[in-house]
Amino acid sequence: MLFDLVLVLLVAVVAVGLQVGSVDQAVPMAATQVMSFALTVFVISSASGLYEPSHSVSFGRSVVRAMLVLGAALPLTYVIFGLLPADFANRAAVQYSTMAGVAALVLRRAYLAHSSANALGRTRILVFGAGTAACTVAEALRERDPNAYIVGFVPGPNEREPAVPQRDLIDLRSTLPELAYELGVDEIVVALTERRAGSMPLRQLLDCKVSGIKVYDLATHFEKTLGQIRLDYLNASWLIFGDGFNQGAWRTAVKRVFDIFSALLLIVLSAPVMLVTAVIIKCESKGPALYRQERVGQNGRTFSIAKFRSMRTDAEKDGKPRWASANDDRVTRVGHVIRRLRIDELPQLFNVLRGDMSMVGPRPERPFFVEKLTQDIPFYALRHSVKPGVTGWAQVRYAYGATVEDSQEKLQYDLYYVKNHTLFLDLVVLIETVSVVLTGRGAR
């Protein structure tokens, strides 16, 4: 995403610069148009799902998405650069050249997502290990990273019965650095199922690293590849001594300003939708349009959350908290629609203004479920080190869940967000939330 955003900016700057004679003159003259153009193309591409992992969509579907992006981006590009000053020379040339650049970039993205058959230019990865952990690594790379090419698997000294197919195994006849150099390896992923003393050649791995080859352990590999922190390969020392969890005063202040601005903007834009929703709910069934629940927020502090009522008023008449499930018979007809479009979450924007929530963060859970999940899932309490969000990394990466197992899967994405959250990641989540709403992914 970031690479494509930079490319879009370069296309705009170069297109304007060629007409005025230099980039130095182009930037102040058309800065507003250039930034508006880059942001527009970036938002449309992200919201359309163009950056989804290639395994989840067919080539035909990617082409359709690319056409939809072009159908929206090209007219907007023409309009944006049509707003250049009236005395700007060759305004039409800038319009058409930027449109051509957008078309090339979008088609390139659609092609790259399905060009995994060609190993040229892809990252060459050697997996050190041949057990079940190595198989999991291979599966993750093949599904989520079309630019990854696995050159083979080197069994560890203590792995007597490899789980990897024999044809993919590589005998370590020399040293690991020599083998990596011979195969032209860019990365080594250490995926040993058995890690007893003597199973890991630390000095050889260090030699690989100092020679320019990236060396990753399992936890770091999954963090980088899947955007999650896998609980099955996680230990506390990795969390303690690794990078991340930067929650200083500056980041907190920036996030708060961003939350207030975006919440106010969305409240203004969605006010008519909220008003109509409240009226329809009241017309369909007796009871309040809004309901409140206690949720657990930052540092375990509880607060009251507001949502549009999407279930019958007697949804929990026995007094026992229950997760909503697929095709839940407690959901009203209006409820099915507003839950699918996430309209029921809009009143939480006022929780953001009060400071109970953030725009992006782990979804807040009810105290009853938090107590149970904290006992059943390791590291669950870590998600409460940041404010809960109206949307979150787990919400755009994982379908709606209603079991302990689903909560464990979502926690892996929540931990990634807690460890790596930045303003840019918040923007990515908000943009992908638009795609989730438009496509209905993960609707419950």
Side-chain angles (χ1 to χ4, degrees), residues 142-155:
R142 287 164 181 157
E143 288 187 351
R144 300 300 296 267
D145 189 355
N147 294 317
Y149 176 70
I150 301 176
V151 299
F153 300 80
V154 176

Side-chain angles (χ1 to χ4, degrees), residues 50-175:
L50 201 61
Y51 292 99
E52 281 187 23
S54 59
H55 78 282
S56 63
V57 294
S58 65
F59 177 73
R61 191 174 175 186
S62 289
V63 171
V64 171
R65 285 184 175 180
M67 293 300 103
L68 290 174
V69 171
L70 291 177
L74 293 181
L76 288 172
T77 299
Y78 184 86
V79 171
I80 288 171
F81 285 99
L83 299 176
L84 286 169
D87 59 347
F88 188 90
N90 298 324
R91 183 167 55 187
V94 174
Q95 290 173 297
Y96 290 118
S97 59
T98 49
M99 290 170 67
V102 169
L105 288 173
V106 171
L107 294 176
R108 167 188 170 276
R109 170 53 50 194
Y111 168 76
L112 287 178
H114 295 273
S115 61
S116 57
N118 181 12
L120 184 63
R122 295 163 63 196
T123 304
R124 297 175 62 84
I125 298 174
L126 178 67
V127 181
F128 185 66
T132 55
C135 290
T136 305
V137 167
E139 180 182 358
L141 286 171
R142 287 164 181 157
E143 288 187 351
R144 300 300 296 267
D145 189 355
N147 294 317
Y149 176 70
I150 301 176
V151 299
F153 300 80
V154 176
N158 298 324
E159 293 180 320
R160 306 303 180 191
E161 298 181 1
V164 174
Q166 189 67 34
R167 66 179 181 276
D168 295 330
L169 296 178
I170 299 176
D171 290 331
L172 187 59
R173 297 174 181 174
S174 56
T175 65

Side-chain angles (χ1 to χ4, degrees), residues 26-313:
V27 172
M29 186 176 296
T32 301
Q33 286 78 12
V34 168
M35 294 304 298
S36 300
F37 161 73
L39 184 60
T40 298
V41 174
F42 178 70
V43 169
I44 292 174
S45 299
S46 302
S48 69
L50 201 61
Y51 292 99
E52 281 187 23
S54 59
H55 78 282
S56 63
V57 294
S58 65
F59 177 73
R61 191 174 175 186
S62 289
V63 171
V64 171
R65 285 184 175 180
M67 293 300 103
L68 290 174
V69 171
L70 291 177
L74 293 181
L76 288 172
T77 299
Y78 184 86
V79 171
I80 288 171
F81 285 99
L83 299 176
L84 286 169
D87 59 347
F88 188 90
N90 298 324
R91 183 167 55 187
V94 174
Q95 290 173 297
Y96 290 118
S97 59
T98 49
M99 290 170 67
V102 169
L105 288 173
V106 171
L107 294 176
R108 167 188 170 276
R109 170 53 50 194
Y111 168 76
L112 287 178
H114 295 273
S115 61
S116 57
N118 181 12
L120 184 63
R122 295 163 63 196
T123 304
R124 297 175 62 84
I125 298 174
L126 178 67
V127 181
F128 185 66
T132 55
C135 290
T136 305
V137 167
E139 180 182 358
L141 286 171
R142 287 164 181 157
E143 288 187 351
R144 300 300 296 267
D145 189 355
N147 294 317
Y149 176 70
I150 301 176
V151 299
F153 300 80
V154 176
N158 298 324
E159 293 180 320
R160 306 303 180 191
E161 298 181 1
V164 174
Q166 189 67 34
R167 66 179 181 276
D168 295 330
L169 296 178
I170 299 176
D171 290 331
L172 187 59
R173 297 174 181 174
S174 56
T175 65
L176 195 58
E178 290 174 350
L179 177 64
Y181 177 77
E182 178 184 340
L183 297 175
V185 171
D186 300 305
E187 294 180 10
I188 296 176
V189 178
V190 180
L192 294 174
T193 304
E194 178 57 65
R195 302 185 66 170
R196 289 180 295 181
S199 63
M200 190 181 303
L202 296 178
R203 179 52 193 265
Q204 294 186 41
L205 288 171
L206 179 59
D207 289 341
C208 289
K209 186 168 184 176
V210 298
S211 67
I213 298 172
K214 298 176 181 178
V215 180
Y216 297 112
D217 61 3
L218 277 172
T220 304
H221 158 74
F222 286 118
E223 180 185 21
K224 179 177 73 78
T225 305
L226 301 180
Q228 63 177 205
I229 295 177
R230 290 282 293 264
L231 296 176
D232 45 357
Y233 299 109
L234 181 63
N235 57 69
S237 61
W238 184 85
L239 293 172
I240 295 170
F241 297 112
D243 295 330
F245 300 105
N246 299 320
Q247 300 177 29
W250 174 248
R251 167 59 183 153
T252 301
V254 169
K255 188 172 179 64
R256 183 58 184 152
V257 171
F258 174 77
D259 286 341
I260 294 174
F261 173 79
S262 52
L264 286 172
L265 178 63
L266 288 174
I267 287 172
V268 172
L269 294 176
S270 63
V273 176
M274 288 194 281
L275 179 60
V276 171
T277 301
V279 172
I280 294 176
I281 291 173
K282 292 290 291 183
C283 290
E284 185 197 29
S285 60
K286 294 180 179 180
L290 292 171
Y291 77 97
R292 294 186 175 276
Q293 277 185 342
E294 189 179 30
R295 298 292 175 99
V296 178
Q298 188 176 24
N299 300 322
R301 183 178 60 85
T302 59
F303 66 98
S304 178
I305 195 174
K307 298 180 71 173
F308 281 118
R309 181 173 61 84
S310 60
M311 292 187 177
R312 304 189 311 266
T313 53

